[in-house]
Amino acid sequence: MVNTDIPKHYTASPSSFSGTPHLTINREVADDLDSTNVFEGPEKLLEVWFSASPGSLPASVAPHGLKIVPSETWEEMLDLVNCKVLSIVESEHVDAYLLSESSMFVFPHKLILKTCGTTTLLSGLPRILEIAALAAGFPHVVGNPNNCIATAATPYRVFYSRKNFLFPDLQRGPHRSWRDEVKSLDKLFLGGSAYMIGKMNGEHWYLYLTEPNTILTPPATPDRNETHTKLLDLPTSKAISMCEADSSDGEHDETLEILMTDLEEENAKQFYLDNASAIAEGRHFQRVHKARKAAQKHLSTINESSLEHLSLSGNGYVENEDAVDIFSNTSSENGEFTSSDDEDLFPAELTTEGHALGTVVSECSGLADVYSICKYPEARVDAYLFKPCGFSANGVVPAARAGDGTHYFTVHVTPEPHCSYASFETNVPSRQTGKETAEVVDQVIKIFKPGRFSVTLFEAKLPDVVDENDFEALAELKAMERQAARKNAKMETIRGYRRVDRIVHDLEGYELVFRYYERWDWEGGAPRLGEVGY
């Protein structure tokens, strides 16, 4: 059952409890949000790595790397992106920022920024490079005057990706087309590669990445030929230049992204404020009713001799006919559970947008059970429900074994029927959860019930060479190969859906698999492409 009690000094998130990752809420921003006009759900996703792992930070960098950067500095950068910070969950290994348009995760060695709507994410990238140099101490070079920065850290590698937009004409800045985005990235980095994965006239996904030990574009570089986008639309294995997986960090490294459209309308109502508030109210007054009954039972055990001057009236004990029944706070609106007086007792936080109703939705929808607190007692979900609808959540999930770091998941929902969309992204390894990737996908799909969805999985590859005399290593490799085969087989049969596309790319040290599904009974016609090709 959802606990909607409001504790003292409430910060409106489970993360606020003592002994857990620290939460900070920006109430000034949270009090002035309305999602009415936010309808471009598909996010822009940027990852900037400044070293291969937290354990390989350059000597010039403080032990906590990017995490030492004050939140105020990141907020100033996010002004360039046109989004605001709603709240922050701070933990030992990662700080999770819940934004007015999606999320940001700051690790010691990398930053992940994901924004939806008409945000201008790439406009913040030069400033990110500058902050990494000046505030975190990463190795840097003189900045490019064309990018309006004095200095820039040299990243280890950079990834930028997104699904095709539904409404590309409404985008701003460098995001009006994929070609413009590639040009913007080429101004910063040499040797970047751009790809389109999927059908040009169907659902597709764009990816831009740099080579390991990325080289920044020198200030004096003349105009160069733009990077051409390569179309990868067949289920073939194709090598793409990318950094080799770090053995200490990359062995179990994987990132799963599920992008869903055409959400089932009735089911999507759970992400509307009115619906969530009604659920919270009903459960609140059920607890009031139970508390009343418990109190009556307790009072009935009192020695009858001490109650001679009392008489029983209705649901409570009164001293005389004019006395007030302290348990009769019922209202016609909630039947036997409530009263008009109870309206003053129902927490205001559960009647308006914010973190309190976000927590209600997270628990009622089942999102909080994807990485259950029973298995991960230190996991924390920081959720926010917008008005009149829309939902965002960040999850911080400590590894099962001490020293293995902390992982994340993030969820964003645009439930309006004409542009419905939901995304789920996580880097929690499947080995850690004990769940196959297909099980996580199935659990998420049951929550949102999309008409169609795509799954993108980045996963560290198995070792190519093993000493033939090392029988233990050979046995382990064979077991891992069998496990991978079972995983792939299960991903082919997501219950209730047919797989339309499967595209596999071999990256140096990693494997990228893109899959696209449609519901068996789907009658919605062709995908709403919005953006065709590049």
Side-chain angles (χ1 to χ4, degrees):
M1 176 177 290
V2 177
N3 178 11
T4 53
D5 290 337
I6 307 298
K8 188 176 181 181
H9 305 309
Y10 182 62
T11 59
S13 167
S15 308
S16 64
F17 298 151
S18 146
T20 67
H22 174 68
L23 174 84
T24 303
I25 294 179
N26 186 344
R27 297 193 180 279
E28 183 178 348
V29 172
D31 290 343
D32 188 32
L33 282 177
D34 189 325
S35 65
T36 304
N37 297 317
V38 177
F39 51 85
E40 182 64 77
E43 301 98 341
K44 314 163 184 83
L45 175 59
L46 173 70
E47 287 198 30
V48 186
W49 294 55
F50 292 96
S51 66
S53 70
S56 60
L57 296 176
S60 61
V61 181
H64 296 294
L66 294 172
K67 286 179 85 283
I68 68 169
V69 177
S71 60
E72 294 80 9
T73 302
W74 294 126
E75 289 172 0
E76 173 265 329
M77 179 275 294
L78 291 169
D79 285 340
L80 302 173
V81 179
N82 291 296
C83 62
K84 300 292 184 182
V85 175
L86 297 178
S87 54
I88 309 168
V89 175
E90 297 176 350
S91 67
E92 181 181 358
H93 301 102
V94 58
D95 295 337
Y97 288 68
L98 194 63
L99 308 179
S100 56
E101 284 84 9
S102 300
S103 303
M104 181 173 74
F105 298 91
V106 181
F107 296 81
H109 65 302
K110 66 180 179 180
L111 178 142
I112 300 173
L113 179 57
K114 187 171 190 173
T115 66
C116 62
T118 56
T119 51
T120 52
L121 185 150
L122 291 179
S123 296
L125 180 52
R127 179 60 178 143
I128 291 173
L129 301 179
E130 187 175 45
I131 290 171
L134 300 180
F138 281 93
H140 54 276
V141 298
V142 175
N144 189 332
N146 294 331
N147 295 319
C148 302
I149 54 173
T151 187
T154 52
Y156 179 58
R157 58 184 181 181
V158 176
F159 304 93
Y160 175 71
S161 63
R162 65 171 176 82
K163 179 187 177 298
N164 53 296
F165 288 134
L166 297 176
F167 308 100
D169 293 342
L170 298 177
Q171 293 298 317
R172 297 180 292 173
H175 299 286
R176 292 186 175 91
S177 71
W178 174 245
R179 177 168 294 183
D180 288 345
E181 290 171 314
V182 171
K183 286 181 179 179
S184 178
L185 289 160
D186 280 347
K187 287 181 181 178
L188 289 169
F189 311 115
L190 288 176
S193 299
Y195 300 89
M196 190 182 84
I197 303 169
K199 296 179 180 178
M200 184 180 296
N201 62 343
E203 292 285 352
H204 52 272
W205 187 73
Y206 297 103
L207 171 66
Y208 181 99
L209 54 87
T210 64
E211 297 180 353
N213 300 308
T214 301
I215 300 175
L216 297 176
T217 302
T221 297
D223 292 340
R224 298 176 291 120
N225 293 329
E226 67 179 82
T227 297
H228 293 291
T229 297
K230 301 173 185 178
L231 176 62
L232 302 176
D233 62 348
L234 297 175
T236 58
S237 175
K238 184 175 180 66
I240 300 176
S241 179
M242 182 177 168
C243 63
E244 186 173 352
D246 180 82
S247 59
S248 62
D249 222 34
E251 184 179 358
H252 306 300
D253 184 26
E254 59 186 80
T255 300
L256 171 69
E257 188 174 33
I258 308 171
L259 307 180
M260 299 160 277
T261 60
D262 305 285
L263 310 184
E264 199 276 316
E265 288 188 31
E266 191 64 28
N267 182 68
K269 290 180 180 178
Q270 63 187 314
F271 301 103
Y272 280 73
L273 188 145
D274 289 346
N275 183 81
S277 184
I279 291 174
E281 184 178 15
R283 297 197 173 200
H284 170 78
F285 288 120
Q286 283 180 349
R287 285 198 306 278
V288 169
H289 178 65
K290 289 180 179 179
R292 180 188 307 129
K293 292 180 66 176
Q296 288 174 339
K297 183 177 180 180
H298 174 72
L299 287 175
S300 67
T301 63
I302 300 177
N303 193 311
E304 291 184 2
S305 62
S306 64
L307 299 176
E308 292 179 354
H309 62 293
L310 295 177
S311 63
L312 181 62
S313 173
N315 290 327
Y317 290 92
V318 295
E319 190 169 11
N320 54 56
E321 294 182 358
D322 297 326
V324 176
D325 179 1
I326 62 172
F327 298 118
S328 65
N329 293 328
T330 58
S331 88
S332 57
E333 201 170 301
N334 290 278
E336 61 174 314
F337 295 150
T338 64
S339 84
S340 58
D341 293 334
D342 261 346
E343 293 176 0
D344 294 333
L345 301 178
F346 183 58
E349 290 88 349
L350 296 176
T351 64
T352 186
E353 74 164 79
H355 292 81
L357 281 181
T359 299
V360 170
V361 172
S362 176
E363 296 183 5
C364 289
S365 66
L367 284 168
D369 296 326
V370 176
Y371 301 110
S372 172
I373 196 170
C374 297
K375 184 175 178 62
Y376 300 99
E378 298 302 317
R380 294 294 173 260
V381 179
D382 180 24
Y384 194 99
L385 185 68
F386 296 88
K387 64 178 181 183
C389 61
F391 174 83
S392 288
N394 286 340
V396 175
V397 185
R401 295 187 307 174
D404 282 356
T406 298
H407 301 95
Y408 73 90
F409 72 89
T410 184
V411 180
H412 303 284
V413 186
T414 302
E416 295 96 324
H418 65 285
C419 57
S420 62
Y421 172 85
S423 68
F424 176 91
E425 178 188 342
T426 182
N427 73 339
V428 180
S430 56
R431 292 185 182 183
Q432 176 178 314
T433 65
K435 296 180 182 178
E436 296 283 0
T437 301
E439 293 179 75
V440 176
V441 172
D442 184 64
Q443 190 171 0
V444 171
I445 293 307
K446 285 180 179 177
I447 293 171
F448 295 103
K449 300 181 180 178
R452 40 193 154 210
F453 66 95
S454 63
V455 176
T456 305
L457 179 64
F458 274 103
E459 189 170 18
K461 292 198 302 183
L462 300 176
D464 294 327
V465 180
V466 175
D467 186 349
E468 62 181 9
N469 296 318
D470 189 341
F471 298 109
E472 184 177 344
L474 284 171
E476 183 179 359
L477 178 59
K478 291 296 184 183
M480 293 170 66
E481 288 175 343
R482 289 193 296 270
Q483 182 183 26
R486 288 195 300 269
K487 178 189 295 187
N488 286 328
K490 290 181 178 180
M491 285 296 294
E492 295 300 296
T493 55
I494 300 298
R495 197 179 326 173
Y497 293 83
R498 66 183 184 94
R499 182 188 57 74
V500 178
D501 286 330
R502 178 177 180 268
I503 303 169
V504 182
H505 304 298
D506 284 339
L507 314 177
E508 188 178 350
Y510 284 86
E511 182 179 71
L512 165 64
V513 184
F514 172 88
R515 293 180 174 92
Y516 171 64
Y517 303 81
E518 289 185 354
R519 201 169 60 221
W520 279 109
D521 62 351
W522 177 247
E523 298 178 353
R528 293 173 300 186
L529 295 180
E531 184 176 15
V532 179
Y534 52 90

